[in-house]
């Protein structure tokens, strides 16, 4: 894949929040430029566990039927060593999935190994309820590059309702402690993104997360506060009405994203929380083989034509119909 094509692919991932006309044109434009496949994924997501200590209303965990578990370190090492051979291609490795990554006692070792092998960017998404002083030091010293903290709710009461099983005060103190430890250690990483999700988006609601975190984070090193809007998690939730109008959006995931479950099975999308679609198995094959397989090629051809008829989860995806 040429450098020009890679740059175009990265640019295509930035158009989601643009005006409708530009966005639709951009999807059409990039669908014509994208090659049938690229040599290796730009972003790899490795689910270290699908276990979680919370039952947040946002996540459809009550619908989860696949077995719970943690990725064996031997399998992880096999995966990350292959990724390291393509480290100049892969831009980011996520060490999380449909679970809470801090439950994994081997997480610091996974981060250390990835960084020792030259992986550019390591990233996790966490609810931060387990981000104790000890774990904060471990992931900082391991070399984690960035961390997104899911902090849902515009008040203590709302947080405790949405983040069922967690406690606002505990999580807030954990984040404050983490930031202090990072500052005391004179480290710039991991940069953090406080992620706040709302349904609707009233101006008064959007200001509240900033009010409690603005004086704590360090924007000079890249810390941010981001407000996003709830999605349907495929068919898992029903926050957004799915109109009957024709799908006009190109899903770009098969061109840049590789989703690995803790058991080594490869999925197509992070919204497939129950693992219904299997694109391959890393216990038997390599990332390169699966990524360049006929199965992935067929998916890209379907998506490029906006033909999602053979992909049930996609047909129920609200993001494909967003203007």
């Amino acid at each position: 894949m040429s450098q020009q094509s890679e740059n175009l692919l990265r640019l295509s991932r930035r158009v989601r929040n643009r005006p409708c006309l530009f966005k639709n044109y951009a999807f059409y434009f990039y669908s014509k430029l994208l090659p049938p496949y690229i040599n290796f994924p730009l972003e790899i997501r490795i689910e270290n566990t699908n276990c979680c200590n919370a039952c947040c209303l946002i996540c459809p965990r009550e619908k989860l039927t696949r077995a719970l578990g943690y990725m064996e370190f031997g399998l992880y090492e096999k995966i990350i060593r292959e990724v390291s051979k393509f480290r100049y291609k892969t831009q980011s490795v996520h060490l999380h999935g449909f679970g809470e990554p801090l439950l994994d006692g081997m997480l610091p070792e996974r981060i250390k190994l990835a960084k020792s092998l030259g992986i550019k960017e390591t990233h996790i998404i966490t609810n931060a309820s387990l981000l104790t002083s000890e774990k904060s030091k471990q992931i900082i010293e391991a070399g984690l590059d960035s961390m997104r903290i899911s902090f849902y709710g515009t008040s203590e009461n709302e947080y405790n309702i949405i983040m069922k099983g967690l406690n606002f005060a505990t999580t807030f103190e954990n984040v404050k402690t983490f930031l202090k430890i990072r500052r005391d250690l004179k480290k710039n990483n991991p940069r953090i993104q406080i992620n706040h999700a709302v349904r609707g988006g009233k101006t008064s609601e959007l200001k509240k997360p900033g009010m409690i975190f603005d004086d704590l984070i360090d924007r000079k090193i890249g810390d941010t506060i981001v407000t996003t809007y709830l999605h349907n998690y495929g068919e898992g939730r029903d926050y957004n009405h799915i109109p009957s109008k024709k799908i006009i959006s190109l899903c770009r995931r098969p061109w840049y994203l590789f989703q690995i479950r803790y058991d080594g099975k490869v999925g197509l999308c992070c919204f497939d929380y129950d693992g219904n679609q299997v694109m391959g198995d890393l216990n038997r094959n390599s990332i390169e083989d699966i990524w360049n397989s006929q199965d992935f090629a067929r998916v890209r051809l379907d998506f490029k034509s906006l033909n999602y008829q053979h992909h049930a989860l996609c047909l129920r995806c609200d993001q494909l119909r967003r203007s």
Side-chain angles (χ1 to χ4, degrees):
M1 184 180 181
S2 68
Q3 185 63 45
Q4 182 182 18
S5 295
E6 286 189 10
N7 290 339
L8 287 170
L9 179 57
R10 293 191 186 100
L11 282 171
S12 74
R13 295 169 61 187
R14 301 176 184 173
V15 303
R16 172 174 289 178
N17 296 320
R18 299 295 186 265
C20 179
L21 181 61
F22 171 72
K23 179 181 174 183
N24 292 339
Y25 170 77
F27 276 127
Y28 174 82
F29 176 71
Y30 286 113
S31 73
K32 300 303 179 185
L33 287 179
L34 287 172
Y37 60 83
I38 60 176
N39 294 332
F40 206 77
L42 297 178
E43 179 178 309
I44 296 177
R45 298 183 183 180
I46 304 172
E47 181 182 67
N48 61 332
T49 182
N50 66 340
C51 299
C52 192
N53 63 327
C55 295
C56 302
L57 300 184
I58 291 170
C59 297
R61 292 200 64 84
E62 78 284 355
K63 298 182 179 181
L64 183 69
T65 63
R66 63 185 173 109
L68 301 178
Y70 295 81
M71 179 173 283
E72 294 181 359
F73 199 83
L75 175 59
Y76 171 77
E77 185 172 1
K78 170 184 179 290
I79 292 169
I80 207 68
R81 287 191 181 279
E82 182 184 0
V83 176
S84 72
K85 295 177 182 178
F86 295 87
R87 60 186 176 276
Y88 301 109
K89 182 79 64 173
T90 300
Q91 301 299 306
S92 179
V93 172
H94 291 217
L95 298 173
H96 61 87
F98 195 65
E100 170 50 52
L102 293 180
L103 283 169
D104 177 17
M106 296 299 295
L107 179 62
E109 296 305 315
R110 299 186 200 273
I111 298 168
K112 284 181 185 177
L113 180 59
K115 297 307 295 181
S116 72
L117 292 172
I119 302 302
K120 292 180 182 177
E121 176 88 3
T122 55
H123 176 78
I124 65 170
I125 297 177
T126 175
N127 60 41
S129 65
L130 302 174
L131 192 61
T132 62
S133 298
E134 181 181 2
K135 288 186 178 179
S136 293
K137 291 177 184 176
Q138 288 176 345
I139 63 173
I140 292 171
E141 292 173 349
L144 183 67
D145 294 289
S146 60
M147 175 170 64
R148 191 172 91 187
I149 297 175
S150 299
F151 199 93
Y152 300 146
T154 56
S155 67
E156 180 171 355
N157 181 61
E158 187 178 51
Y159 175 94
N160 290 338
I161 292 173
I162 296 174
M163 309 288 282
K164 190 176 179 181
L166 306 184
N167 180 271
F168 175 94
T170 299
T171 304
F172 184 56
E173 284 302 315
N174 284 350
V175 176
K176 288 172 60 178
T177 300
F178 165 82
L179 292 170
K180 181 180 184 304
I181 291 172
R182 188 186 63 178
R183 187 168 57 250
D184 291 345
L185 292 174
K186 295 180 171 57
K187 298 286 187 179
N188 291 336
N189 287 339
R191 307 175 305 280
I192 68 165
Q193 178 189 97
I194 305 294
N195 194 61
H196 171 70
V198 297
R199 182 180 182 180
K202 296 179 181 178
T203 303
S204 60
E205 290 180 339
L206 301 185
K207 290 181 179 177
K208 290 183 180 178
M211 291 172 64
I212 61 174
F213 286 110
D214 251 345
D215 294 335
L216 300 176
I217 65 172
D218 188 345
R219 295 185 184 274
K220 292 180 180 179
I221 64 173
D223 291 347
T224 57
I225 299 170
V226 176
T227 298
T228 58
Y229 295 91
L230 298 180
H231 57 75
N232 287 351
Y233 234 113
E235 90 297 349
R237 286 292 181 261
D238 191 26
Y239 289 116
N240 302 306
H241 172 66
I242 298 179
S244 58
K245 67 181 181 180
K246 181 181 178 181
I247 295 175
I248 59 173
S249 297
L250 169 68
C251 176
R252 305 172 305 282
R253 284 180 172 86
W255 279 271
Y256 75 89
L257 176 63
F258 198 76
Q259 188 83 34
I260 307 169
R261 299 176 193 129
Y262 81 87
D263 60 0
K265 300 288 178 57
V266 176
L268 190 59
C269 178
C270 58
F271 293 162
D272 186 12
Y273 57 88
D274 214 21
N276 292 315
Q277 189 165 12
V278 179
M279 302 298 293
D281 188 346
L282 289 172
N283 293 287
R284 297 194 293 267
N285 299 106
S286 67
I287 295 174
E288 186 177 19
D289 287 342
I290 296 171
W291 183 250
N292 295 299
S293 67
Q294 287 301 310
D295 286 343
F296 257 105
R298 280 191 291 270
V299 169
R300 294 184 188 109
L301 183 61
D302 283 347
F303 283 22
K304 191 174 182 180
S305 304
L306 302 184
N307 176 16
Y308 301 97
Q309 295 304 313
H310 303 297
H311 310 282
L313 187 70
C314 303
L315 290 174
R316 298 189 292 269
C317 180
D318 56 316
Q319 295 198 346
L320 289 175
R321 295 174 172 84
R322 288 187 179 183
S323 59

